[in-house]
Amino acid sequence: MTYPKPTFPAVTPVATPPPPTARSSLPPELARRVKDVAGVAIPPVLTLLVVLAAWQALVGDSYTGLPSPKQVWLESKDLILHPFYDNGGVDKGLFWHVFTSLKRVGIGFSISAVCGILLGVFVGSNRWAHRGLDPIFQVLRTVPPLAWLPISLAAFHQAQPSALFVIFITAIWPIIINTAVGVRNIPSDYVNVARVLRLSPVEYFFKILLPATTPYIFTGLRIGIGMSWLAIVASEMLLGGVGIGFFIWDQYNASRIADIIVALAWVGMTGFFLDRLVALIGHFVSRGNAVS
């Protein structure tokens, strides 16, 4: 007697779950931003470390004129760590010297920005004004900032207004020229629309001209703020008083080269901050269309 062979249903293999992957503790958007910031910050930091290492290796510990980074730290440690002290007079920390210079730059640059934009609009929109004034502006913009200092001292007889005039006359030329270029490059379609709508001069200025020329204006402002900072540092070396330029010249007379190097670092970082600030304002005003 034979029995039928037992049959068994086919067994389907059970898929084994994949091993758990390590999840990032940061949200994806935050992780992306951290990566972007690291990509921007790490290269200049590494470059700075390489420059400092090469500087230290070339100069060494022998003080032959230019101090090494190690000597700068040892000689100017108090100046670096305590920038906010104020003992009265010119005995102040670097923050107060820079702050005094910034106040002068703020006043002089604001005046030059207003006058430069208005003159640039006038020169750019009027053919005869452009032919008559543009060559003069091109000549005057090549005059070095310190060349205006004797004229300002002869006119104002005081250090403070003389410094403001040097800032004003140095920063105004790039603002005028860039604004005029922006006005001349307004698309003809914009001008035709303004004529069809019969916009008044005031409406044309705020609705057509100003938005179309904003990238050019802020390009001139960025150049102007950098030249203002250069002019105030140079003029303060000769005018005296409180200010980062006077501090550098005073430390040179005292043969404190390490303090000068620290002050130069403050000058560079402040100039970079001013440029980034104007660029950020231009980005918001022009809705991201400002010329970088």
Side-chain angles (χ1 to χ4, degrees), residues 74-291:
L74 293 177
E75 295 182 14
S76 304
K77 183 189 302 184
D78 294 337
L79 189 67
I80 297 172
L81 297 179
H82 306 286
F84 301 103
Y85 76 89
D86 186 356
N87 295 331
V90 298
D91 188 10
K92 302 176 183 291
L94 282 176
F95 172 82
W96 299 111
H97 287 284
V98 171
F99 183 69
T100 301
S101 299
L102 281 176
K103 289 191 295 184
R104 293 169 178 163
V105 169
I107 298 174
F109 177 73
S110 299
I111 300 173
S112 66
V114 174
C115 297
I117 292 174
L118 295 178
L119 278 174
V121 171
F122 175 67
V123 172
S125 58
N126 189 295
R127 180 182 303 177
W128 293 104
H130 177 262
R131 292 179 179 178
L133 295 176
D134 186 70
I136 299 175
F137 293 160
Q138 296 293 342
V139 172
L140 292 178
R141 72 181 182 88
T142 61
V143 178
L146 289 183
W148 295 102
L149 191 58
I151 297 177
S152 63
L153 287 173
F156 299 104
H157 305 286
Q158 293 181 3
Q160 180 72 5
S162 299
L164 297 180
F165 175 79
V166 171
I167 296 171
F168 167 81
I169 204 68
T170 303
I172 194 172
W173 309 122
I175 301 174
I176 293 175
I177 293 172
N178 280 274
T179 303
V181 171
V183 172
R184 292 197 302 270
N185 288 333
I186 294 178
S188 58
D189 294 340
Y190 292 4
V191 179
N192 294 332
V193 169
R195 291 174 179 173
V196 171
L197 297 177
R198 297 181 180 180
L199 298 179
S200 65
V202 176
E203 291 176 334
Y204 174 78
F205 178 81
F206 285 102
K207 295 183 178 181
I208 302 294
L209 188 146
L210 195 60
T213 58
T214 295
Y216 295 90
I217 291 175
F218 274 92
T219 298
L221 291 176
R222 289 183 65 180
I223 299 173
I225 193 65
M227 297 183 67
S228 297
W229 188 238
L230 295 177
I232 189 59
V233 172
S235 60
E236 283 177 346
M237 290 183 178
L238 301 180
L239 295 176
V242 179
I244 191 63
F246 168 76
F247 177 85
I248 293 174
W249 188 250
D250 188 55
Q251 298 308 304
Y252 172 77
N253 292 329
S255 299
R256 295 186 60 86
I257 307 301
D259 289 352
I260 296 176
I261 293 175
V262 176
L264 291 179
W266 272 79
V267 170
M269 290 186 294
T270 305
F272 177 78
F273 168 76
L274 292 175
D275 179 78
R276 293 289 92 190
L277 179 61
V278 175
L280 182 63
I281 296 174
H283 178 79
F284 282 107
V285 171
S286 63
R287 299 178 182 178
N289 294 324
V291 178

